[in-house]
Amino acid sequence: ETLIESELFGHERGAFTGAIKDRPGRFELAESGTIFLDDIDDVPLSMQVKLLRVLQNRTIERLGGTRTVPINVRVIAGSKRDLKQLVAEGGFREDLYYRLNVLPVTLPPLRERREDIPVLMEYFLERYFRRRNEDVPAISDAVRQAFGRYSWPGNVRELENACERIAQTCSCGTVRVGCMSASILFRAGTQPAELGAPVVSTAN
């Protein structure tokens, strides 16, 4: 928790072992801009109290310091779990929930917006093949169908990981099902020879 507090609010020299100089935190560095707090549902309750104070007062105090520093930032928070349900379970402070929940934006899981899958797949494959200074190969229909059938419980991050793996291991002129993770193929509920059902696909 000390490391989280130091990362967000900064620290003064000598605040803890290894703090050899003053260091501004993310809130100070984001002055007049935006700070994105990802996975806010994983923040410990003790840290939630401090975050609430920052949002209410628009000031921070560095770890080990006594000086109050005013801040002017827009805060965007992301959560992989339903915060309202988490409040009911006692895992998230209700007052912080309402302080954050000014303009909620709900993004459905990838399995509920399958039309995004081929677009994201092509984007990430291009990114990782280009990063390796390689031409982006063609993508077989069977691969597109496998991606479309899979439920992607890890959402976009899992899809990105799958594309990076393909870029690291594929040496074919065309991305084929053999370049894909066997676990994804298995969980897509099909074998490579059976990948024939149509899915949404982008035009080449």
Side-chain angles (χ1 to χ4, degrees), residues 29-193:
L29 295 173
E31 178 65 22
S32 300
T34 301
I35 183 169
F36 175 49
L37 304 176
D38 198 8
D39 291 334
I40 193 72
D41 50 305
D42 287 334
V43 173
L45 287 169
S46 58
M47 182 58 62
Q48 292 178 28
V49 176
K50 297 175 182 179
L51 274 176
L52 177 64
R53 190 180 304 125
V54 169
L55 296 176
Q56 284 291 125
N57 301 334
R58 295 286 172 175
T59 61
I60 60 103
E61 285 185 10
R62 289 184 181 179
L63 189 63
T66 57
R67 182 171 61 93
T68 298
V69 180
I71 57 167
N72 175 30
V73 298
R74 177 177 61 177
V75 176
I76 300 175
S79 173
K80 60 186 175 295
R81 290 182 284 179
D82 185 342
L83 288 183
K84 194 169 185 178
Q85 179 63 34
L86 206 56
V87 168
E89 296 170 356
F92 200 84
R93 290 183 61 95
E94 186 175 27
D95 45 8
L96 179 58
Y97 167 74
Y98 285 115
R99 191 66 188 84
L100 289 169
N101 195 36
V102 176
L103 184 62
V105 177
T106 302
L107 184 64
L110 198 53
R111 64 181 176 273
E112 295 180 11
R113 47 190 176 97
R114 293 186 178 274
E115 66 276 7
D116 290 347
I117 292 175
V119 179
L120 291 167
M121 175 185 64
E122 292 182 0
Y123 170 78
F124 287 127
L125 285 175
E126 180 173 2
R127 169 194 281 183
Y128 288 108
F129 273 102
R130 296 294 187 200
R131 186 172 292 179
R132 292 169 59 86
N133 295 316
E134 297 179 7
D135 293 333
V136 183
I139 306 169
S140 71
D141 288 341
V143 169
R144 294 181 184 275
Q145 291 160 13
F147 267 68
R149 290 184 178 185
Y150 186 55
S151 62
W152 301 107
N155 290 301
V156 176
R157 288 174 180 168
E158 183 182 8
L159 189 147
E160 179 179 4
N161 177 269
C163 291
E164 183 177 8
R165 180 185 186 279
I166 289 173
Q168 293 285 346
T169 59
C170 179
S171 58
C172 312
T174 299
V175 177
R176 306 183 186 281
V177 290
C179 306
M180 294 179 59
S181 163
S183 63
I184 290 180
L185 285 174
F186 178 77
R187 293 172 184 172
T190 185
Q191 297 298 320

